[in-house]
Amino acid sequence: MVQNEFADDLLDALPDRSEFATREEYLAYLCATVRKSKEEVRRAKHLNDNLIRITRERANQQRNLHPKKEHDGYIVLYSQQWQDRDGNGQMVKVWKSLLQTPYDAGISYTSLLDTIRKDLYPVMADLGIHQKHDEEHNGAYPVFDGDTPQNILYRWSYRANFRAGLWEMEIYTTDSLSVSADRQPARNQQGNLRKDEGK
């Protein structure tokens, strides 16, 4: 119904065909309107992409991640062994980790969700995660068969950490993560975590 209402509103916004001398003039007007709308969408997407890039670079600079322009901005704040129940109710050992994104906690969840989803697959591969459940199975412990990869991201949730000022993902995997130095919080010269990290 919403799509039909949108289409009705769009048709109501168009000028009446009778306002044009010929059918060709009316079609030319419609084509120009479509071109203008496509250009506005392209411009808005370009601005959005630039804002996301700037947000990521600022977060990388504040967290001392290098190179700030190339680093995707995702780091693992902690990873710990955890217990969960499989589909049969049996206790299984899994890993619970906190993944910090480069995105400001003041930006709404719905505005960032598609961006984070798109970012996540190369990050997962870098962390040794072979597969991620689809959205409808979020939270269900996987059923293993002979062909199933060993490390599966099967549960995740998002939270805005206003103290750190960034969005985070709590993730549950069937095996431990492989966390390289560039995916860990930056340390100062004494080897300690910076004061603003890991809060």
Side-chain angles (χ1 to χ4, degrees), residues 9-198:
D9 291 345
L10 185 61
L11 289 173
D12 290 343
L14 290 174
D16 189 70
R17 160 73 175 89
S18 62
E19 295 178 26
F20 295 87
T22 65
R23 181 174 183 250
E24 287 74 23
E25 285 179 11
Y26 184 60
L27 289 174
Y29 170 81
L30 291 176
C31 288
T33 302
V34 167
R35 272 194 305 277
K36 182 179 176 186
S37 296
K38 284 182 177 179
E39 179 60 27
E40 287 173 7
V41 167
R42 188 196 65 72
R43 195 172 317 130
K45 184 182 179 326
H46 179 70
L47 286 172
N48 187 53
D49 290 346
N50 277 339
L51 288 172
I52 287 172
R53 178 186 55 78
I54 290 167
T55 297
R56 184 178 57 245
E57 288 175 10
R58 281 187 183 157
N60 288 351
Q61 183 174 4
Q62 290 170 352
R63 296 178 296 162
N64 203 26
L65 300 179
H66 296 288
K68 81 171 186 178
K69 290 184 182 276
E70 287 82 28
H71 197 293
D72 60 28
Y74 286 81
I75 59 173
V76 178
L77 297 180
Y78 73 80
S79 188
Q80 70 184 71
Q81 198 168 40
W82 197 254
Q83 288 195 356
D84 205 349
R85 294 192 183 275
D86 66 12
N88 298 321
Q90 300 296 313
M91 295 303 289
V92 290
K93 290 184 179 179
V94 299
W95 287 83
K96 173 182 169 183
S97 306
L98 189 63
L99 185 64
Q100 189 178 64
T101 78
Y103 302 116
D104 190 291
I107 301 172
S108 75
Y109 165 78
T110 52
S111 298
L112 286 174
L113 188 56
D114 287 341
T115 301
I116 292 172
R117 283 178 180 159
K118 186 175 73 173
D119 291 350
L120 199 54
Y121 287 99
V123 174
M124 286 173 30
D126 198 36
L127 294 173
I129 300 170
H130 304 108
Q131 184 178 334
K132 174 181 170 281
H133 271 346
D134 54 22
E135 297 289 328
E136 68 186 49
H137 294 103
N138 183 0
Y141 188 81
V143 176
F144 288 98
D145 60 24
D147 297 332
T148 305
Q150 291 304 304
N151 200 4
I152 299 174
L153 171 57
Y154 71 93
R155 178 187 299 167
W156 60 93
S157 60
Y158 301 91
R159 74 177 187 191
N161 182 335
F162 294 108
R163 183 178 299 203
L166 298 170
W167 277 98
E168 297 171 346
M169 283 182 73
E170 188 172 73
I171 62 173
Y172 292 78
T173 54
T174 57
D175 202 351
S176 63
L177 303 180
S178 173
V179 184
S180 59
D182 67 330
R183 290 264 180 232
Q184 297 174 21
R187 298 176 183 275
N188 62 23
Q189 279 138 359
Q190 290 79 31
N192 300 318
L193 287 177
R194 287 180 43 207
K195 289 182 183 178
D196 58 339
E197 292 294 345

